[in-house]
Amino acid sequence: MSLNIFMLDKNIVSLIQSKNDGKTKTKDQIEMLQLLKRHDKSIYRFSSLSSAIEGRKKQKESKIESINTVDYETQILKSFFKKAKTDAHILKSNESNFSEVFSQYNVLHNQEKYKSVLKKYYELREKYVEKGSIPLNKKEAFSFELLEYIEAQDIAKENPIISIIFLAINQIIDNKYIDNPCNVLKLKKGKSLDENIHNIYSDLSIPNLISRLEFEGKGDIKITFLTLDKALSSYMEIFKFNYISEIKKNTGYLKLHQVEVEIQSKLIRSFFKNLFENWEASKNNSHSISSTKPSNKTE
């Protein structure tokens, strides 16, 4: 029998923490609290892991800070759930210690490179944006300039953390999703760019995190992600990771080439096929022009 795990976004942890603060709750918040209560049974486990990875400092936390965050958020969950298990049942067990458990959740060892791509996107957006949006005749140039930067970083352009950026640049929207997933890239007021990027990266890495944990569970666990963020929910529906090789023992990470990314939307699959084909054609054309350019060199 598989273990059913509900992974909670930070807004769910905050909702649980504030359930008795006397403030009026929205319809979505009330329904979420009711769902959580209905599943407060011993057959379920609730995890704040994705929230803990984001941390409480709006930046990547140290090991000690992460331990404190996990303990803090676990206490919040334990005060709410009476029967369901929480992360405490793993982290406090005699069979595993914090280092062994938490080290597996650093989803991408190229984290800083992916964050640098996000930062480059926001910088380039200032260059290309006109009246709040990217003009049609500049979308390809914007995309190609960012692709050039991505390839220089030697990271996979197919990763959803990257893919969502190109959907935003080109304003590709599949109306079958409840909300525009590109809204996950919106910067929040009152936070610095680096703080925003850290929070956005933490959200964008969740599909990878969940797929990896399910893969490591070898079919024995099923994870459902809960969030009040509709844009994040839509993003989660678009991309699916399929791990295609075993993780070598005692290694901390899987490289992306060991993973297949499946795009659930036909519209979005077609967009990326055309984008990457045009990008390769552009590079080949540039190389051809460069190689045939007359030389000014004299003998």
Side-chain angles (χ1 to χ4, degrees):
M1 182 177 178
S2 62
L3 174 63
N4 293 294
I5 300 176
F6 289 95
M7 187 170 291
L8 309 181
D9 194 12
K10 186 167 288 294
N11 53 51
I12 305 297
V13 177
S14 298
L15 175 63
I16 292 173
Q17 187 179 23
S18 65
K19 69 182 188 304
N20 295 321
D21 62 4
K23 294 182 180 179
T24 303
K25 301 292 187 289
T26 66
K27 179 183 177 182
D28 287 345
Q29 289 175 326
I30 292 171
E31 290 178 350
M32 180 59 70
L33 287 170
Q34 291 172 340
L35 183 150
L36 296 173
K37 277 298 185 184
R38 285 199 305 271
H39 290 84
D40 186 9
K41 301 176 182 179
S42 59
I43 60 173
Y44 297 114
R45 171 172 284 150
F46 287 84
S47 172
S48 62
L49 182 58
S50 60
S51 175
I53 288 176
E54 182 176 332
R56 293 181 289 165
K57 295 179 57 182
K58 303 176 184 177
Q59 62 184 13
K60 185 177 180 180
E61 295 183 335
S62 67
K63 177 182 173 181
I64 297 300
E65 290 169 337
S66 295
I67 291 173
N68 292 335
T69 295
V70 170
D71 285 341
Y72 175 77
E73 296 194 340
T74 296
Q75 291 304 315
I76 293 173
L77 299 191
K78 287 176 66 177
S79 69
F80 182 85
F81 297 107
K82 306 306 178 185
K83 298 179 181 179
K85 295 180 176 64
T86 66
D87 290 329
H89 293 81
I90 300 176
L91 300 176
K92 302 298 183 182
S93 72
N94 294 326
E95 298 177 0
S96 58
N97 59 47
F98 180 86
S99 297
E100 292 172 342
V101 174
F102 201 79
S103 65
Q104 298 179 38
Y105 304 147
N106 290 318
V107 182
L108 295 169
H109 67 289
N110 284 326
Q111 178 177 154
E112 295 309 316
K113 287 188 176 183
Y114 282 95
K115 285 184 176 180
S116 77
V117 173
L118 285 166
K119 191 167 188 176
K120 188 68 173 180
Y121 159 68
Y122 292 113
E123 291 173 351
L124 288 176
R125 194 176 189 282
E126 292 297 316
K127 171 183 174 181
Y128 286 99
V129 72
E130 293 181 11
K131 297 180 180 179
S133 62
I134 310 300
L136 182 62
N137 63 348
K138 292 187 176 182
K139 290 178 180 179
E140 185 175 88
F142 188 172
S143 298
F144 284 5
E145 187 168 352
L146 189 59
L147 277 166
E148 185 176 11
Y149 178 83
I150 290 166
E151 292 194 349
Q153 302 305 306
D154 192 28
I155 53 178
K157 62 183 182 295
E158 296 83 4
N159 191 296
I161 295 172
I162 303 299
S163 299
I164 192 66
I165 297 174
F166 292 111
L167 295 183
I169 292 172
N170 294 275
Q171 298 170 23
I172 304 300
I173 301 173
D174 190 330
N175 292 326
K176 74 177 183 178
Y177 297 108
I178 191 171
D179 195 72
N180 182 358
C182 298
N183 287 337
V184 298
L185 295 172
K186 284 188 175 180
L187 301 177
K188 294 182 179 179
K189 295 180 180 179
K191 293 182 179 180
S192 69
L193 180 59
D194 286 342
E195 289 172 344
N196 266 295
I197 287 174
H198 172 73
N199 290 346
I200 290 168
Y201 171 84
S202 299
D203 284 345
L204 296 181
S205 63
I206 290 172
N208 189 310
L209 167 66
I210 291 176
S211 298
R212 174 170 179 163
L213 292 177
E214 288 184 330
F215 174 79
E216 291 178 337
K218 301 184 184 300
D220 293 330
I221 63 173
K222 178 183 178 183
I223 300 175
T224 302
F225 181 67
L226 298 180
T227 181
L228 293 170
D229 186 337
K230 290 182 171 59
L232 180 56
S233 291
S234 295
Y235 168 77
M236 296 283 294
E237 290 181 39
I238 295 176
F239 303 102
K240 178 183 178 183
F241 283 88
N242 295 314
Y243 283 83
I244 56 177
S245 61
E246 290 287 339
I247 299 174
K248 293 182 179 180
K249 191 174 181 180
N250 297 325
T251 60
Y253 310 100
L254 269 181
K255 293 183 179 179
L256 195 61
H257 68 255
Q258 295 173 287
V259 183
E260 290 180 344
V261 180
E262 183 180 338
I263 297 176
Q264 307 296 305
S265 165
K266 183 178 180 181
L267 172 69
I268 294 174
R269 283 200 305 272
S270 177
F271 161 73
F272 280 114
K273 181 177 183 295
N274 292 332
L275 173 65
F276 294 150
E277 285 179 353
N278 291 341
W279 167 238
E280 292 302 323
S282 174
K283 289 195 297 181
N284 292 336
N285 186 49
S286 297
H287 177 73
S288 176
I289 293 174
S290 176
S291 62
T292 58
K293 186 177 180 180
S295 174
N296 294 324
K297 184 178 179 180
T298 58
E299 297 296 336

